[in-house]
Amino acid sequence: MIVRRLLLLCLWVAPAWAEQAPHIGVLAALEGTVTIIHAGLARVAQAQESISLGDSVQTGADGTVEIHLQDQTTLFLRPRSLLHLVSFAPPIPGQTPRTLSEAALEKGKMVVRTGTAPVAVTTPTAVVRAAHTRFAVEVR
Amino acid sequence: MRRLVASGLFLLGLCGGCRHADTFVVLLATGGTLEVNTPETTVTLREPFQGVTVQPGTTPRMATVGATELLEAYGPEALPQDWDETYALYFTEETMLTATSQALLTQITAVHRHAQVRAMTLIGFTDGLGTREENQELAQCRANTILRALRAAGVRAPITATGAVNVREEPAQYDAARRRVDVSIRLQ
């Protein structure tokens, strides 16, 4: 009985939490198999779909996706990649620029075009910090 | 038997987990800032095509990546957009261009002799035959060959000529596609 109640609570809480995660960007273009993992649930991604803070994006062997974040950062994810969208803070006028977007590339390859503020990409072995530039990062 | 197989798979998983993935980063544009931090070190990349491989406990390995590699590995988005034109010139022998590439070089020099060229970058490559040191020298030599040809034809723009340090170990075999110099041109 208790287990059943807990299960029901989880089912009620999880979608509520998922709804609260702010949208931080959109999948501007995609090809092949791309999956979004949102609140622990995986689904096949569609072009022009919104993505939220805490989402993960996974590309299949034939999958590529272009992600536009609200701070004008653009991420181009290559096939066989897994990216977690870790943090995103709105800019604070008048403050020293700080990391606006942070993404974690667990595996694969990605090209990053930075937007209006610095970006950090963490990998299993390094942290890449960049501003006003473009770069490619690969986890081998 | 089943337990033995399960133990083997578990140990295999552990070994796989022990291996640290390495991270490769390459800068694609001029200007801006880019730092690669590891617990031991920080590497700053300043020039487009410049890359670095980092792995915990090892010294960072710097690399120069050509436009062709960038395109193959990361797709069209990786091509430096602030370079207006890029070409690949192929060699038959150590520093002898193929007939097609010789014709292309003639075209490039004819067009850019009097054009408003802000900068040119030449990056030489080799296949995997020979030692790493020999190939590095040959890559530089190929870039210098094109540099001399451009200067002799009257191109006066600032030109950077470098030999690529191979990002990966190339197989020790003939590879016509890697016997080349990538030419990138930035116009005014």
Side-chain angles (χ1 to χ4, degrees):
Chain A
M1 188 65 181
I2 292 173
V3 173
R4 193 175 164 190
R5 278 186 187 172
L6 278 174
L7 190 64
L8 283 171
L9 183 68
C10 287
L11 287 172
W12 178 73
V13 166
W17 177 81
E19 279 170 17
Q20 283 170 4
H23 287 175
I24 58 168
V26 66
L27 304 184
L30 65 81
E31 281 182 22
T33 311
V34 179
T35 307
I36 293 180
I37 302 158
H38 178 79
L41 299 172
R43 66 169 189 276
V44 175
Q46 307 291 330
Q48 301 306 320
E49 187 173 345
S50 293
I51 48 164
S52 305
L53 187 62
D55 282 358
S56 299
V57 183
Q58 187 160 27
T59 53
D62 61 342
T64 59
V65 61
E66 183 177 328
I67 305 168
H68 289 188
L69 299 181
Q70 284 170 0
D71 67 345
Q72 295 168 20
T73 298
T74 307
L75 311 171
F76 301 92
L77 204 58
R78 302 295 297 163
R80 297 190 183 88
S81 301
L82 175 58
L83 179 77
H84 307 290
L85 298 162
V86 179
S87 74
F88 186 90
I92 301 170
Q95 282 211 356
T96 311
R98 62 198 177 88
T99 297
L100 196 62
S101 307
E102 183 175 347
L105 184 67
E106 189 174 317
K107 65 173 185 176
K109 302 173 186 177
M110 178 172 69
V111 171
V112 180
R113 186 168 62 210
T114 62
T116 52
V119 167
V121 176
T122 60
T123 72
T125 48
V127 180
V128 185
R129 297 179 199 284
H132 310 296
T133 192
R134 288 191 313 127
F135 63 96
V137 56
E138 179 177 355
V139 176
R140 294 171 177 166
Chain B
M1 183 61 186
R2 192 179 292 174
R3 194 173 291 176
L4 195 66
V5 170
S7 307
L9 287 173
F10 176 70
L11 285 173
L12 204 64
L14 276 184
C15 290
C18 289
R19 184 191 169 276
H20 288 294
D22 58 7
T23 298
F24 177 69
V25 182
V26 58
L27 186 60
L28 303 173
T30 47
T33 58
L34 191 144
E35 273 186 6
V36 184
N37 305 113
T38 68
E40 297 100 0
T41 186
T42 295
V43 178
T44 303
L45 300 181
R46 292 190 174 84
E47 297 294 328
F49 306 108
Q50 194 179 36
V52 65
T53 301
V54 292
Q55 190 177 33
T58 63
T59 309
R61 297 194 306 275
M62 301 302 291
T64 309
V65 190
T68 312
E69 269 83 12
L70 290 175
L71 184 64
E72 282 172 6
Y74 305 105
E77 295 80 17
L79 285 178
Q81 288 168 352
D82 44 358
W83 294 88
D84 298 296
E85 298 172 20
T86 56
Y87 305 94
L89 299 172
Y90 295 94
F91 292 76
T92 52
E93 297 298 330
E94 290 197 347
T95 57
M96 187 179 291
L97 284 169
T98 63
T100 312
S101 290
Q102 183 61 58
L104 179 59
L105 179 59
T106 307
Q107 278 181 22
I108 294 170
T109 52
V111 170
H112 293 99
R113 188 178 302 143
H114 305 297
Q116 297 292 307
V117 175
R118 197 192 314 172
M120 282 192 184
T121 298
L122 312 172
I123 302 177
F125 295 87
T126 69
D127 58 24
L129 292 175
T131 65
R132 192 179 176 84
E133 291 72 26
E134 285 169 349
N135 284 332
Q136 209 159 327
E137 195 178 323
L138 178 56
Q140 180 69 56
C141 206
R142 283 179 175 155
N144 290 345
T145 299
I146 303 301
L147 172 63
R148 281 194 296 273
L150 289 167
R151 290 292 186 226
V155 176
R156 293 285 164 259
I159 302 176
T160 309
T162 64
V165 179
N166 289 338
V167 178
R168 297 186 173 90
E169 287 296 330
E170 294 298 323
Q173 62 189 30
Y174 171 80
D175 184 351
R178 289 199 58 83
R179 295 181 166 196
R180 67 172 202 280
V181 167
D182 283 353
V183 181
S184 300
I185 301 170
R186 195 185 310 155
L187 302 173
Q188 295 283 11

